[in-house]
Amino acid sequence: MDSDFAEALREGESDSRSSDRQAQRKARQFCRQVQRALNLALADHNAGDGIAGLFVEEVSPAPDCGRLLVHVLVPAGCPVTDAICALRHDTPRIRSEVAMAITRKRAPELIFVPAFPEGGNDE
């Protein structure tokens, strides 16, 4: 095999790995930005709307940044199904608040799932 050709192949592989790492880093940054925006949006709610006291523990791409999986901590004493239903019902408003806080052409689709602290259950 030609040594110049082999070296060019190795450089191409390292460039693609570097761009993959950069894309993953950008995705993590975006998810953290959305997480902050969601926690601010959830903090502004009234106690009677079913989503007061919720906290976004983690946001991750599902499968990419156009759709995000939002892991929500539900406080003790609040039924998980009620909290998730309230979030799903209020998703358009929450999504618009996220859209105002991020710098993207399109707001990502949000999928809410419960996150449980160590030893927690789904009541």
Side-chain angles (χ1 to χ4, degrees), residues 82-122:
D82 292 349
I84 298 298
C85 285
L87 280 170
R88 288 181 182 154
H89 177 71
D90 210 22
T91 295
R93 187 196 57 76
I94 294 170
R95 189 171 177 228
S96 70
E97 288 188 31
V98 168
M100 289 187 287
I102 63 172
T103 52
R104 285 271 172 130
K105 189 178 221 177
R106 293 185 181 105
E109 183 181 341
L110 303 173
I111 302 166
F112 295 100
V113 295
F116 301 104
E118 292 300 318
N121 58 21
D122 62 357

Side-chain angles (χ1 to χ4, degrees), residues 14-119:
S14 67
D15 287 346
S16 69
R17 280 187 248 138
S18 175
S19 64
D20 287 345
R21 279 193 307 269
Q22 182 178 5
Q24 289 174 357
R25 183 178 60 82
K26 291 288 188 183
R28 285 191 307 269
Q29 285 178 336
F30 179 65
C31 287
R32 283 192 304 269
Q33 183 183 21
V34 170
Q35 180 182 1
R36 285 190 297 272
L38 285 168
N39 278 322
L40 287 173
L42 292 176
D44 289 341
H45 282 279
N46 300 329
D49 62 6
I51 58 176
L54 299 180
F55 179 77
V56 176
E57 180 181 59
E58 180 184 5
V59 175
S60 56
D64 56 27
C65 288
R67 175 182 290 164
L68 300 175
L69 192 60
V70 181
H71 299 267
V72 181
L73 282 175
V74 179
C78 179
V80 173
T81 53
D82 292 349
I84 298 298
C85 285
L87 280 170
R88 288 181 182 154
H89 177 71
D90 210 22
T91 295
R93 187 196 57 76
I94 294 170
R95 189 171 177 228
S96 70
E97 288 188 31
V98 168
M100 289 187 287
I102 63 172
T103 52
R104 285 271 172 130
K105 189 178 221 177
R106 293 185 181 105
E109 183 181 341
L110 303 173
I111 302 166
F112 295 100
V113 295
F116 301 104
E118 292 300 318

